[in-house]
Amino acid sequence: MALYEHTVMSRQDISAQQAEALNDTIKGLIEQGGGSVAKIEYWGLRNLTYRVKKNRKAHYSLLAVDCPPAAMAEVERQLSINEDVLRWLTVRVEELDLELSPLLARRERERERERERTPREDAAADAE
């Protein structure tokens, strides 16, 4: 079986739940083809550098996949039919990176900093 990183951009008009449902659909197709999905990351609604099919934003998702090439070909065929999908990119890799992507790692660090700041600010307000 081959290892892939698969990134999907979907239209801005759909909701986050519909984007997650698209990820579940992709996961189901891969599992039907005899593969497995090691990681799914939903990156959220992000601005595009330039318009793609008249859209300025897109929902991004990253999947780490272990499946036969035929299963990935079927996923790509299904995505080409789906009107909600703007673009996708599939890259074959030597090994799957199961850590958080740099984008999500940065978000997590920012959340931790925010959690650390909040108690200090509350303590300063109580002292006054």
Side-chain angles (χ1 to χ4, degrees):
M1 294 222 268
L3 304 175
Y4 299 97
E5 285 187 356
H6 184 73
T7 307
V8 180
M9 293 171 37
S10 53
R11 288 182 326 143
Q12 65 186 358
D13 303 344
I14 66 173
S15 67
Q17 291 80 17
Q18 289 172 312
E20 294 282 350
L22 178 64
N23 291 340
D24 293 339
T25 302
I26 294 169
K27 181 179 179 183
L29 287 170
I30 290 169
E31 289 173 350
Q32 285 176 359
S36 64
V37 177
K39 170 178 81 168
I40 299 177
E41 289 184 0
Y42 173 67
W43 292 350
L45 188 64
R46 303 187 46 84
N47 290 326
L48 299 173
T49 305
Y50 55 89
R51 286 187 182 192
V52 176
K53 296 184 181 177
K54 300 181 182 180
N55 289 279
R56 293 182 181 271
K57 295 183 178 188
H59 292 274
Y60 281 78
S61 296
L62 172 72
L63 292 87
V65 178
D66 181 12
C67 70
M72 188 51 70
E74 176 61 18
V75 168
E76 290 179 348
R77 188 184 76 77
Q78 291 289 332
L79 291 177
S80 68
I81 295 171
N82 193 333
E83 294 178 357
D84 291 335
V85 176
L86 298 175
R87 298 270 195 279
W88 73 89
L89 176 67
T90 305
V91 179
R92 189 168 179 175
V93 294
E94 293 296 320
E95 63 183 62
L96 293 177
D97 183 14
L98 299 178
E99 296 179 16
L100 282 179
S101 65
L103 176 75
L104 291 183
R106 187 182 85 224
R107 284 186 187 168
E108 188 63 31
R109 283 193 305 270
E110 289 172 359
R111 286 185 189 135
E112 288 176 10
R113 286 184 196 140
E114 189 63 32
R115 282 187 228 133
E116 290 173 2
R117 287 184 196 147
T118 304
R120 291 182 199 152
E121 292 170 359
D122 291 342
D126 292 340
E128 294 176 3

